[in-house]
Amino acid sequence: MPWRSAACPPWGVLVSEIMLQQTPVVRVLPVWEEWLRRWPEPADLAREPAGEAVRSWGRLGYPRRALRLHAAAVAIGQDHGGQVPADYAQLLSLPGVGSYTAAAVAAFAYGRRETVVDTNIRRVHARLFSGTALPSPALTAAEMRLAAGLLPDDAGTSVRWNASVMELGALVCTARAPKCSACPVRERCAWRAAGEPPPSYTPKGQAWHGTDRQVRGAVMAVLRLADAPIPAEMFQQAPADLGFEASGIGVPLAALHRLNSAPEQLERALAGLLEDGLTELHQGGYRLPG
DNA sequence: CACACGTGGTA
DNA sequence: TTACCAAGTGT
């Protein structure tokens, strides 16, 4: 990936890590390219309205990440001299940067020796050492200790270790249908030795259909395409009544209407987006934050 | 600590 | 078609 290139600036690494939070690589790639072309440095993004970040986030999902990345760019300018910090604690203080992202940026952008633990690494460790199909629902202190103990002493080697174990989990030791025959450590895998027992629990899938989240997503799809504030009434009406059902903003508007959500649910979604700062009121309508 | 938070691909 | 899941974070 371009963000693993030695030529990639720390800012590019930070942008990639935020985009990759819960979003597959293939969908991140084109958006990341566009962001780095448009905003080569944190200051370039920081002088834009936050709504521009949200709009150019496109359909990556979890648009609050775009808002936080913009806020991080502002913080980098104000508190870090315009340079992405190399220190774990300083990275962790940035909006949208949690323990995983702070460690990943320190390691992959600056070559620091950090204990990087993501879902891939957790799954590899769970299978290899605990003999379970999946890691526990929540990251535990024991897992962090295990990962810290495994980390090579040499900084350069530790970076490769982190990247390698992550890749092993992403490409071979996958959640579903792992490619054990291609695994370099299959002979010492506790899960395989135990006969590959199924997960002891069934992950509860995230609800989507009929949820506030789905409505929020539909509203955001409208606002990303809107070039003027959208009055609340317009979210309620059938697009056919609006005269532009077949093109442009009419498409997401029609999709929103098809959800057939209760008025109070739409109201809740709009209030939530406002509360999160993903939208703002302007001239009697909703728009992305200017 | 459980829960909310987007989106689209795959089995 | 349904359900899982993808390099998590903030509350």
Side-chain angles (χ1 to χ4, degrees):
Chain A
M1 278 77 72
W3 45 83
R4 289 287 184 264
S5 156
C8 182
W11 168 241
V13 176
L14 175 60
V15 172
S16 78
E17 292 298 347
I18 302 277
M19 288 183 173
L20 286 165
Q21 291 168 5
Q22 302 284 281
T23 303
V25 169
V26 287
R27 285 174 48 208
V28 164
L29 264 169
V31 182
W32 181 87
E33 299 279 4
E34 171 62 15
W35 269 55
L36 268 289
R37 186 194 62 71
R38 185 172 175 188
W39 300 307
E41 295 178 24
D44 299 318
L45 177 61
R47 55 176 151 263
E48 295 270 8
E52 267 314 289
V54 174
R55 179 170 279 121
S56 61
W57 195 253
R59 306 187 64 80
L60 285 185
Y62 291 149
R64 46 174 55 175
R65 290 182 295 164
L67 218 47
R68 292 180 180 144
L69 188 44
H70 180 272
V74 172
I76 287 167
Q78 288 180 347
D79 305 333
H80 303 283
Q83 303 296 314
V84 175
D87 177 66
Y88 175 88
Q90 295 191 98
L91 284 161
L92 193 58
S93 75
L94 296 173
V97 176
S99 59
Y100 161 75
T101 303
V105 172
F108 301 133
Y110 291 106
R112 298 271 180 113
R113 184 179 181 278
E114 302 284 348
T115 304
V116 177
V117 177
D118 76 330
T119 189
N120 291 304
I121 292 177
R122 294 187 65 215
R123 188 173 54 252
V124 169
H125 289 170
R127 289 179 179 162
L128 209 48
F129 302 112
S130 306
T132 56
L134 297 175
S136 59
L139 176 62
T140 65
E143 284 180 87
M144 287 304 293
R145 282 194 298 273
L146 172 64
L150 258 22
L151 197 66
D153 292 328
D154 173 69
T157 309
S158 75
V159 171
R160 297 191 61 137
W161 173 267
N162 282 323
S164 300
V165 179
M166 208 180 306
E167 291 290 296
L168 182 64
L171 302 177
V172 176
C173 194
T174 51
R176 284 178 298 190
K179 303 164 182 62
C180 296
S181 62
C183 181
V185 289
R186 61 183 176 281
E187 296 305 332
R188 53 169 99 175
C189 177
W191 182 56
R192 195 154 185 267
E196 304 187 3
S200 57
Y201 67 98
T202 54
K204 57 183 178 79
Q206 301 180 340
W208 174 247
H209 293 287
T211 62
D212 290 1
R213 236 183 346 160
Q214 186 182 28
V215 178
R216 288 172 55 122
V219 169
M220 290 302 293
V222 172
L223 294 184
R224 278 196 303 268
L225 291 181
D227 50 10
I230 305 294
E233 311 85 72
M234 204 173 289
F235 290 120
Q236 314 270 6
Q237 296 168 9
D241 300 339
L242 301 169
F244 43 48
E245 67 276 8
S247 63
I249 196 179
V251 173
L253 221 33
L256 173 59
H257 190 256
R258 264 196 307 279
L259 293 181
N260 201 18
S261 57
E264 61 266 26
Q265 182 174 46
L266 179 58
E267 198 134 341
R268 215 162 45 233
L270 289 172
L273 291 171
L274 213 46
E275 168 81 15
D276 290 350
L278 283 165
T279 67
E280 67 181 14
L281 254 9
H282 183 73
Q283 294 175 348
Y286 290 87
R287 69 172 189 185
L288 299 182

